[in-house]
Amino acid sequence: MTDTDHDGWPDKYRDPRERPHPTVLRVTVEGFDDVCEDTLERVDAVAEGDSSPAVVSFATVGELRKILTDRRLELLRVLLNTDGAAESISAVADALGRDYRPVHDDISLLADYGLLFVVDDGQRKRPYLPYERIHLDIELVGREPTPA
């Protein structure tokens, strides 16, 4: 049996840079039922050999906006331009012209939501975003009419 770490990945994939990743991260606003249906569709597609984007879903637009602030989107953009993991959180803070602590907090929050990974490299923590693009998918619809 293959040993796994705390997040379920086999030991050979302990470092997120070694894991297979799609080129696109899709960020959506979907209810639980929609997330379940989409997940099943993606599993079927992958089983048939089709590629599928990674998906992070939020329950509401408000939750998404709370997490993906302008500053955090700018941080993700900097990481998209990094080949591999960033050198350090300090390097990301310098690139953004921001203080270390708020950048560290933003990276931790984005990692908690699965929007990026943090690689332990000795004493350093290296933010890692394996995607080439991030696609925000927000659909707004009007309320369904109530029966008279």
Side-chain angles (χ1 to χ4, degrees):
M1 183 168 156
T2 305
D3 289 333
T4 59
D5 62 10
H6 68 283
D7 62 2
W9 283 93
D11 283 340
K12 73 178 189 172
Y13 292 129
R14 186 171 303 268
D15 185 333
R17 293 170 294 184
E18 301 297 325
R19 298 175 188 168
H21 294 283
T23 58
V24 177
L25 171 62
R26 187 172 148 242
V27 179
T28 68
V29 175
E30 295 181 301
F32 180 76
D33 292 339
D34 292 333
V35 170
C36 289
E37 184 178 321
D38 288 348
T39 301
L40 292 173
E41 288 173 7
R42 282 193 305 278
V43 167
D44 289 342
V46 169
E48 293 175 11
D50 297 335
S51 64
S52 180
V55 178
V56 173
S57 293
F58 292 89
T60 66
V61 173
E63 183 183 2
L64 179 137
R65 291 181 65 200
K66 180 180 172 188
I67 302 305
L68 290 180
T69 63
D70 288 344
R71 286 188 167 231
R72 292 183 188 131
L73 287 171
E74 182 182 18
L75 186 154
L76 290 170
R77 193 172 295 114
V78 164
L79 291 175
L80 283 169
N81 291 321
T82 302
D83 187 25
E87 190 61 35
S88 65
I89 294 174
S90 294
V92 174
D94 290 345
L96 292 167
R98 295 175 54 198
D99 291 335
Y100 172 86
R101 176 50 53 192
V103 172
H104 176 277
D105 292 346
D106 285 346
I107 287 171
S108 296
L109 180 76
L110 293 170
D112 287 346
Y113 277 86
L115 293 161
L116 60 82
F117 301 92
V118 176
V119 177
D120 290 325
D121 188 11
Q123 295 292 334
R124 292 183 300 173
K125 304 283 188 193
R126 300 180 67 189
Y128 173 58
L129 190 64
Y131 313 105
E132 293 175 12
R133 295 179 313 151
I134 298 174
H135 178 87
L136 300 177
D137 188 4
I138 302 170
E139 181 178 343
L140 298 177
V141 296
R143 291 186 184 173
E144 294 199 16
T146 56

